Every structure is written in C-alpha cells, then in structure tokens.
Amino acid sequence: ATSVEQTLEFLPNPKDARDLRVNSTSALVAPIATHFGLRAGYAVRYDHEPRPGFRSTDAVFTTGLQINF
C-alpha cells in the first residue's frame, strides 16, 4: 500500500513577532517489495526575515530507497 506523509511546522520568534519560519515536508512512499519502497519527498522552508544575500524560500526535492522492518 502506498503511503503519504505531510508535516507542517511553524517556528515563531518569541522576541520578534514579525520573524516567522515555516517548514513543510511532503513524501510519497511506493512499495516495491516486502521491506523496500521508493520514496519521493519535497520540502519547502520559508523564513520571513532571511539574512542578507539569502532568499526567503528554499525548496528541496529528494528521492531514495526506504527500508522497513
């Protein structure tokens, strides 16, 4: 059975209400054998006040082999 995972994380700065970070991760795992599956993931990271020279949003696509026991 194929499985889907979604994680959403809010990280406010208690000293500065305008400084907010948000992390979101989505993943899909498709089984290829009893204990093995192919995993594809997409992560988005947002920083409302990035350091100079950096963008506010970063996105990463990952793939891999997942082993379950």
Side-chain angles (χ1 to χ4, degrees):
T2 301
S3 64
V4 177
E5 178 184 321
Q6 173 65 47
T7 306
L8 187 60
E9 178 180 35
F10 292 94
L11 303 167
N13 184 343
K15 296 180 182 178
D16 183 4
R18 296 179 303 148
D19 187 13
L20 173 68
R21 294 181 184 185
V22 180
N23 297 325
S24 173
T25 305
S26 302
L28 177 68
V29 179
I32 56 174
T34 305
H35 296 289
F36 296 95
L38 293 176
R39 179 183 174 101
Y42 187 71
V44 177
R45 297 178 185 104
Y46 171 77
D47 186 355
H48 181 71
E49 295 182 356
R51 293 184 178 198
F54 289 90
R55 295 182 182 183
S56 62
T57 304
D58 183 29
V60 178
F61 177 73
T62 59
T63 58
L65 182 64
Q66 181 170 316
I67 301 171
N68 297 318
F69 287 97

